[in-house]
């Protein structure tokens, strides 16, 4: 079939887009909205809002210090056009701000910005509000106009710690106005509904319907024809949450001559008809080319694995097919989220082969994650990856074979699924398993070249070798962190297994060392108690979880009564108590109070006592306060977090 309609459509497409007017309305901010925004590294989306400077997210407040962030709408707005007499666009925008100090006093403030440059300037933290830095302040190079909501009197030129101002290429305002005069306090933590209007001559700002600023300005003399719009904010030593909760914008479109408008109504109609033809044509061709695409994808996978600079063996598909007797169901060991695992025999050695499900697109990412993370690691408590294969659109992973299978089979065996080995794990074996997993995690967090977060610690991902030594496996969700100092991985997807996920996981979009520790804590409790983590599927309900269940035993002073009865009381009581308390400490609702894996190992080996754990399970409070702020009065914030001494050595 002739492919000429496609290029024709592409030529007309830009006209179609220009015909739409510049308008958007975010009634709240969700992770899905990220694609419509440009977020600088210090900005993110959390708690249904833009956090123009990142919030603590389970890390310490230090991580909020000295940040400068920008969040912009990802399309440019045409502000003016013409050479002699310029046509200047007008716009109205409404946004809801919420600024809450996290220290006293709080951070620096937030600004609505219109700028030619989407990148946040270097060294624009602290008093610079992410608007300019000491080099660009006062120069036209900055290309920025801002309405600042300043919450800090950072130098003598500032009016006070609660003002709004209009800034042109500078951190100092043309006309600062104290909001205290109008009875508003920016950093009080209340919502401020700001309406900003520009009619081509005057810029006016209303806060909660009160007119607070009106300033004549010709924006076209400071800004390029096409501009980015959005927000910037900064923190210094003192920090605050700089949230934008909603944002609506509407601007006039001065893109083309007005008398051309009717053409855009006719053309789309014509195009719509052609589009149908093109779509059919495209789909038709796509079917032919899909195999070529897969060849391309194969190149990518190989490239990505090679780039990681190491070499588990690359297997041929035929080799693996032979090893598993054509993936015979007799050799099937299990079925996971991303594929099926088979037992195989290769060079007289037993191997386990995971065949990633062809359909899941997810599978490919998991595959690369797994090969590039564990392929590089070597630890006696990690399942060893022997090789991989990508051929004929099949993704396969080859591991050492674990004769005893996965841990969950041993600890949750009920009558129905009773296997031969059921209930044979004794206290010593359980302790060794916990120690093994702890060692593996400590190695991932602190011991290897790059820090690795596993993100999916659970009993079905722990394999047992012939001596019941635990080996952590399934690195499909694992992520490496390039810089060793960093303790989190930003992610847009919430990943993990319900029941093992720390409560803050649903609020933050970062995997942290602490969320791994939480899952480890749940694992410890289930191994000792022989009980499922509970509330599977009911993601947001923590009340029935094993953690709550055990905390009740602890509160009543008989924690060892929770130990798996199948051990028939054949365990060392003091050891069991120690391990259970450690497990609870790892599951502390406040991530700051969870011990790090190094401390966990010390407790398990008897070198250190378990961290102190409150008798009553603390409520989950967000944002979580780090121990160093425990002298503060929490009652003011409606929190029930009881401060206690931190013994975790972090
Ligand atoms: C933002 O994301 C939410 C959730 O997916 C969606 O409903 C909403 O339409 C998005 N907002 C905009 C302006 O696209
Ligand atoms: C923006 O969207 C929200 C929710 O859909 C709606 O309530 C609000 O009126 C809209 N705002 C404007 C200015 O259209
Ligand atoms: C933040 O910047 C100030 C001034 O440059 C510096 O004294 C302080 O140590 C910095 N704080 C952090 C956590 O980097
Ligand atoms: C620009 O505007 C001035 C005053 O409105 C008018 O006298 C002049 O003719 C205009 N110039 C052009 C090129 O349109
Ligand atoms: C902005 O709002 C005013 C009324 O408050 C209206 O007259 C004007 O047309 C609006 N401008 C745009 C671009 O929506
Ligand atoms: C915010 O500031 C107020 C007054 O300065 C102070 O009482 C409050 O404790 C601060 N909030 C936090 C979380 O530090
Ligand atoms: C935009 O800002 C960045 C960071 O300050 C700077 O490196 C870059 O040169 C600027 N780009 C332009 C076109 O000015
Ligand atoms: C920033 O630039 C303006 C304009 O040149 C100047 O008045 C002001 O003192 C500068 N501010 C700082 C903090 O250097
Ligand atoms: C502004 O108005 C909102 C309701 O629209 C209200 O919740 C908020 O408290 C007001 N802010 C201030 C500072 O009065
Ligand atoms: C605004 O509220 C904050 C926090 O409650 C407080 O620290 C600050 O003193 C208040 N500022 C003014 C000008 O009232
Ligand atoms: C802008 O403000 C000035 C003075 O405040 C006023 O004279 C003028 O009419 C205003 N222009 C528009 C377009 O509203």
């Amino acid at each position: 079939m002739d492919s000429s309609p496609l290029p024709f459509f592409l030529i007309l497409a830009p006209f179609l887009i220009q015909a739409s007017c510049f308008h958007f309305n975010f009634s709240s901010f969700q992770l899905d909205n990220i694609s419509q925004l440009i977020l600088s590294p210090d900005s993110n989306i959390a708690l249904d809002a833009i956090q123009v400077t990142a919030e603590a997210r389970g890390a310490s407040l230090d991580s909020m210090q000295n940040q400068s962030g920008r969040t912009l709408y990802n399309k440019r707005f045409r502000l003016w056009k013409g050479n002699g007499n310029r046509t200047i666009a007008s716009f109205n925008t409404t946004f809801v701000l919420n600024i809450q100090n996290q220290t006293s006093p709080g951070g620096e403030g937030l600004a609505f910005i219109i700028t030619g440059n989407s990148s946040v300037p270097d060294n624009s933290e602290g008093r610079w509000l992410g608007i300019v830095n000491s080099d660009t302040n006062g120069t036209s190079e900055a290309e920025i106009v801002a309405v600042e909501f300043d919450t800090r009197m950072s130098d003598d030129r500032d009016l006070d710690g609660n003002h709004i101002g209009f800034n042109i290429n500078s951190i100092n305002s043309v006309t600062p106005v104290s909001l205290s005069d109008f009875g508003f306090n920016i950093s009080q933590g209340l919502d401020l509904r700001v309406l900003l209007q520009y009619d081509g001559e005057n810029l006016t700002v209303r806060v909660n319907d009160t007119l607070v600023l009106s300033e004549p300005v010709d924006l076209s003399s400071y800004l390029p024809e096409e501009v980015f719009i959005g927000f910037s904010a900064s923190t210094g030593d003192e920090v605050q949450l700089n949230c934008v909760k909603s944002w609506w914008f509407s601007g006039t479109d001065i893109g083309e001559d007005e008398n051309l408008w009717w053409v855009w109504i006719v053309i789309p109609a014509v195009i719509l008809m052609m589009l149908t033809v093109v779509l059919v044509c495209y789909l038709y061709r796509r079917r032919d080319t899909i195999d070529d695409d897969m060849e391309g994808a194969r190149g990518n996978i190989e490239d990505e694995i090679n780039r990681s600079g190491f070499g588990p063996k690359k297997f041929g598909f035929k080799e693996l097919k032979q090893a598993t007797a054509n993936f015979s169901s007799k050799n099937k060991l299990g079925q996971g989220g991303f594929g099926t695992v088979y037992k195989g025999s290769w060079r007289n050695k037993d191997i386990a082969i995971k065949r990633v499900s062809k359909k899941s697109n997810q599978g490919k990412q998991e595959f690369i994650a797994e090969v590039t993370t564990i392929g590089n690691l070597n630890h006696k408590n990690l399942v060893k990856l022997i090789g991989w294969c990508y051929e004929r659109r099949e993704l396969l992973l080859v591991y050492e074979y674990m004769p005893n299978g996965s841990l969950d089979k041993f600890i949750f065996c009920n009558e129905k699924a009773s296997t031969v080995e059921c209930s044979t794990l004794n206290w010593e074996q359980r302790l060794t398993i916990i120690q093994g997993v702890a060692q593996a995690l400590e190695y991932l967090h602190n011991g290897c070249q790059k820090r690795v977060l596993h993100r999916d610690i659970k009993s079905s991902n722990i394999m047992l070798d012939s001596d019941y030594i635990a080996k952590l496996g399934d690195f499909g969700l694992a992520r490496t962190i390039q810089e060793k100092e960093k303790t989190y991985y930003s992610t847009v997807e919430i990943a993990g297994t319900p029941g093992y996920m720390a409560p803050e996981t649903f609020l933050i979009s970062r995997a942290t060392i602490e969320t791994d520790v939480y899952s480890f804590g749940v694992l410890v409790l289930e191994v000792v108690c022989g009980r499922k983590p509970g509330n599977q599927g009911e993601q947001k309900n923590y009340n029935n979880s094993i953690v709550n269940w055990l905390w009740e035993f602890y509160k009543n002073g008989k924690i060892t009564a929770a130990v798996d009865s199948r051990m028939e009381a054949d365990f060392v009581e003091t050891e069991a108590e120690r391990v259970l308390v450690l497990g609870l400490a790892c599951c502390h609702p406040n991530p700051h109070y969870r011990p790090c894996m190094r401390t966990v190992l010390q407790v398990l080996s008897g070198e250190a006592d378990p961290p102190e754990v409150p008798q009553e399970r603390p409520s989950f409070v967000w944002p979580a306060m780090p121990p160093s702020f425990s002298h503060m009065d929490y009652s003011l914030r409606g929190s029930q977090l009881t401060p206690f001494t931190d013994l975790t050595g972090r």
Side-chain angles (χ1 to χ4, degrees), residues 117 119-122 133 141 143:
N117 191 337
S119 356
V120 59
D122 300 332
N133 60 26
E141 193 191 324
E143 285 196 333

Side-chain angles (χ1 to χ4, degrees), residues 407-427 429-430 459 525-532 546 549 560-571:
L407 173 61
D408 57 334
K409 287 203 304 247
F410 291 89
I411 51 179
F412 313 132
C413 50
N414 52 25
E415 299 72 37
K416 262 191 286 170
S418 107
T419 48
V420 187
E421 302 92 339
C422 201
S423 87
T424 55
L425 283 184
N426 61 32
W427 174 245
Q429 283 169 327
R430 291 183 200 225
S459 50
L525 303 184
E526 59 178 318
V527 169
V528 177
C529 305
R531 198 187 140 98
K532 288 197 178 169
I546 190 170
W549 178 76
T560 50
V563 174
D564 193 347
S565 58
R566 279 171 300 177
M567 279 191 284
E568 293 173 340
D570 191 9
F571 60 90

Side-chain angles (χ1 to χ4, degrees), residues 22 89-93 195-199 206 248 250-253:
F22 204 92
S90 61
F91 62 83
N92 296 331
T93 182
L195 168 62
L196 210 137
Q197 293 180 297
Y198 182 63
D199 56 11
R206 286 183 171 79
W248 169 86
S250 169
T252 52
D253 191 334

Side-chain angles (χ1 to χ4, degrees), residues 70 115-124 131 133 136 140-143:
R70 267 188 193 182
T115 177
N117 191 337
S118 59
S119 356
V120 59
D122 300 332
N123 306 318
S124 60
I131 296 178
N133 60 26
T136 56
S140 57
E141 193 191 324
E143 285 196 333

Side-chain angles (χ1 to χ4, degrees), residues 499-647:
Y500 295 89
M501 288 157 87
E504 74 269 19
T505 314
F506 299 100
L507 293 177
I508 65 179
S509 48
R510 272 180 202 179
T512 62
I513 298 251
E514 289 83 6
T515 53
D516 262 3
V517 170
Y518 185 94
S519 317
F520 171 77
V522 174
L523 179 85
V524 168
L525 303 184
E526 59 178 318
V527 169
V528 177
C529 305
R531 198 187 140 98
K532 288 197 178 169
N535 62 288
Q536 302 271 7
E538 251 180 287
Q539 299 204 349
K540 288 185 183 172
N541 180 6
Y542 289 91
N543 296 329
N544 312 318
S545 69
I546 190 170
V547 180
N548 255 359
W549 178 76
L550 201 74
W551 221 299
E552 284 302 305
F553 280 90
Y554 180 60
K555 189 168 115 188
N556 299 329
K558 45 168 188 163
I559 194 163
T560 50
V563 174
D564 193 347
S565 58
R566 279 171 300 177
M567 279 191 284
E568 293 173 340
D570 191 9
F571 60 90
V572 189
E573 183 125 6
T574 51
E575 270 178 12
E577 178 168 352
R578 193 182 177 79
V579 173
L580 284 173
V581 171
L582 175 67
L584 281 185
C586 293
C587 296
H588 199 292
N590 181 334
H592 300 295
Y593 286 90
R594 292 176 205 150
C596 65
M597 289 315 295
R598 208 163 276 160
T599 310
V600 167
L601 281 181
Q602 281 169 355
V603 174
L604 288 173
S605 67
E607 283 165 56
D609 284 330
E612 220 171 277
V613 174
Q615 292 296 319
E616 190 77 51
R617 179 172 183 249
S619 302
F620 173 59
V621 172
W622 199 258
M625 286 292 145
S628 52
F629 288 80
S630 57
H631 60 274
M632 285 194 178
D633 185 4
Y634 286 92
S635 57
L636 283 175
R637 311 185 66 250
S639 137
Q640 292 162 40
L641 183 67
T642 8
F644 61 92
T645 331
D646 178 44
L647 293 175

Side-chain angles (χ1 to χ4, degrees), residues 312-519:
K313 185 179 153 47
K314 191 177 138 196
F315 281 84
F317 183 72
K318 251 195 206 140
E319 234 174 325
L320 297 180
K321 198 168 149 185
Q322 234 163 36
T324 54
N326 199 9
F327 300 104
S328 143
S329 55
K330 267 197 307 218
N331 286 329
K332 199 162 141 180
L333 292 174
Q335 193 132 20
F338 302 111
T340 313
V341 183
Y342 297 88
K343 183 180 175 180
S345 173
W346 177 69
R347 296 190 182 161
N348 292 327
K349 221 168 65 183
D350 284 338
I351 51 176
I353 298 167
K354 179 156 91 176
R355 189 181 191 185
V356 179
S357 162
K358 262 189 237 179
K359 283 172 215 141
S360 85
N361 182 40
Q362 191 82 340
K364 203 161 88 186
Q365 281 167 18
E366 263 73 51
F367 180 83
I368 295 172
E370 188 142 7
V371 177
T372 55
T373 48
I374 51 165
N376 272 323
L377 303 178
N378 212 339
H379 188 272
K380 65 181 195 311
N381 296 110
L382 296 180
V383 173
K384 190 153 184 54
L385 179 73
I386 301 173
W388 60 281
C389 164
Y390 181 73
E391 227 175 83
R392 304 185 201 174
R393 298 159 69 181
E394 294 270 6
L395 306 168
L396 298 119
L397 292 161
V398 182
Y399 306 92
E400 59 179 327
Y401 174 68
M402 291 288 134
N404 277 318
S406 60
L407 173 61
D408 57 334
K409 287 203 304 247
F410 291 89
I411 51 179
F412 313 132
C413 50
N414 52 25
E415 299 72 37
K416 262 191 286 170
S418 107
T419 48
V420 187
E421 302 92 339
C422 201
S423 87
T424 55
L425 283 184
N426 61 32
W427 174 245
E428 227 140 71
Q429 283 169 327
R430 291 183 200 225
L431 205 55
T432 313
I433 287 166
I434 291 173
Q435 257 157 350
V437 179
Q439 261 157 15
L441 257 191
E442 207 280 324
Y443 171 73
L444 294 179
H445 286 179
N446 306 312
C448 39
Q449 234 171 18
K450 287 174 187 164
R451 177 164 262 168
V452 177
L453 300 178
H454 185 277
R455 305 209 300 156
D456 201 14
I457 295 159
K458 58 177 173 182
S459 50
S460 56
N461 283 344
I462 313 281
M463 309 304 284
L464 298 178
D465 75 0
S466 49
D467 299 324
Y468 295 91
I469 302 294
K471 304 211 176 202
L472 183 56
D474 207 326
F475 279 65
L477 294 179
R479 295 291 182 266
T480 37
I481 296 174
Q482 301 298 327
E483 303 135 65
K484 199 87 207 255
E485 309 79 52
K486 241 170 137 179
T487 57
Y488 60 84
Y489 170 80
S490 299
T491 162
V492 287
E493 89 275 37
I494 289 182
T497 303
Y500 295 89
M501 288 157 87
E504 74 269 19
T505 314
F506 299 100
L507 293 177
I508 65 179
S509 48
R510 272 180 202 179
T512 62
I513 298 251
E514 289 83 6
T515 53
D516 262 3
V517 170
Y518 185 94
S519 317

